[in-house]
């Protein structure tokens, strides 16, 4: 059986997006390869990371592929990456991978919580996380 995440990766590999506008740049194969590299570097499930990127950007390369909203929250990862250029899709995905890995180590076995932390912020996610009722965002990515 093909999962939703697998189907999303297949569609992205074909470099098509129904939501792309002429001025948008649809995700390139090299970005998918980078998602693979980041998932291996940080020991994150490739399909979960690819689904997160899809959820955040529909695989349309914009100036902020994983929707990093506040640079000050990601200072630690920017130092690790050696830059804070979130417009670079490779850095953007790497910053995301860095934090998903960090939270995975802190909250082992709780992928819904890690995804909620990415989407809502660390404090907000912890304040209302219920492992039996993860957010819609987390459920969509984990399908």
């Amino acid at each position: 059986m093909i999962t939703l995440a697998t189907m999303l990766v297949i569609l992205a590999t074909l470099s098509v997006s129904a939501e792309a506008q002429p001025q948008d740049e649809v995700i390139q194969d090299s970005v998918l390869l980078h998602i693979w590299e980041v998932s291996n570097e940080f020991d994150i499930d490739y399909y979960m990371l690819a689904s997160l990127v899809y959820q955040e950007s529909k695989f349309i390369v914009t100036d902020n592929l994983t929707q990093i909203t506040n640079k000050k929250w990601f200072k630690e990862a920017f130092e690790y990456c050696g830059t804070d250029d979130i417009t670079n899709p490779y850095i953007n995905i790497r910053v995301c991978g860095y934090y998903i890995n960090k939270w995975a180590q802190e909250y082992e076995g709780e992928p819904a919580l890690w995804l909620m932390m990415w989407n809502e912020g660390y404090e907000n996610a912890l304040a209302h996380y219920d492992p039996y009722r993860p957010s819609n965002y987390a459920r969509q990515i984990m399908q």
Side-chain angles (χ1 to χ4, degrees), residues 1 16 26 31 37 43 72 77 81 90 99 109 112 125-126 130-131 135 138:
M1 182 171 153
V16 296
V26 177
V31 175
E37 292 166 346
D43 196 27
K72 72 178 182 179
C81 294
Y90 304 103
Y99 279 99
L126 282 177
D130 177 351
S135 70

Side-chain angles (χ1 to χ4, degrees), residues 43-142:
D43 196 27
I44 300 168
D45 181 79
Y46 170 77
Y47 297 108
M48 183 178 75
L49 185 58
S51 293
L52 183 151
V53 173
Y54 178 81
Q55 181 71 22
E56 295 290 347
S57 65
K58 303 301 184 240
F59 284 148
I60 299 170
V61 178
T62 63
D63 61 347
N64 193 351
L65 199 57
T66 62
Q67 303 303 311
I68 294 173
T69 56
N70 189 329
K71 283 187 172 185
K72 72 178 182 179
W73 295 341
F74 300 97
K75 184 177 179 185
E76 186 179 319
F78 291 141
E79 289 174 5
Y80 178 83
C81 294
T83 182
D84 68 352
D85 181 11
I86 61 170
T87 64
N88 178 324
Y90 304 103
I91 297 301
N92 200 281
I93 294 166
R94 199 159 183 231
V95 167
C96 180
Y98 178 91
Y99 279 99
I100 297 293
N101 173 268
K102 179 179 177 173
W103 299 326
Q105 290 178 26
E106 191 173 346
Y107 299 98
E108 187 175 341
E110 298 290 341
L113 178 59
W114 319 329
L115 294 168
M116 289 172 63
M117 288 174 166
W118 182 259
N119 181 246
E120 303 170 25
Y122 185 89
E123 300 286 331
N124 288 339
L126 282 177
H128 68 272
Y129 175 63
D130 177 351
Y132 301 105
R133 297 189 63 189
S135 70
N136 288 337
Y137 176 88
R139 279 197 309 271
Q140 287 173 343
I141 291 173
M142 293 176 10

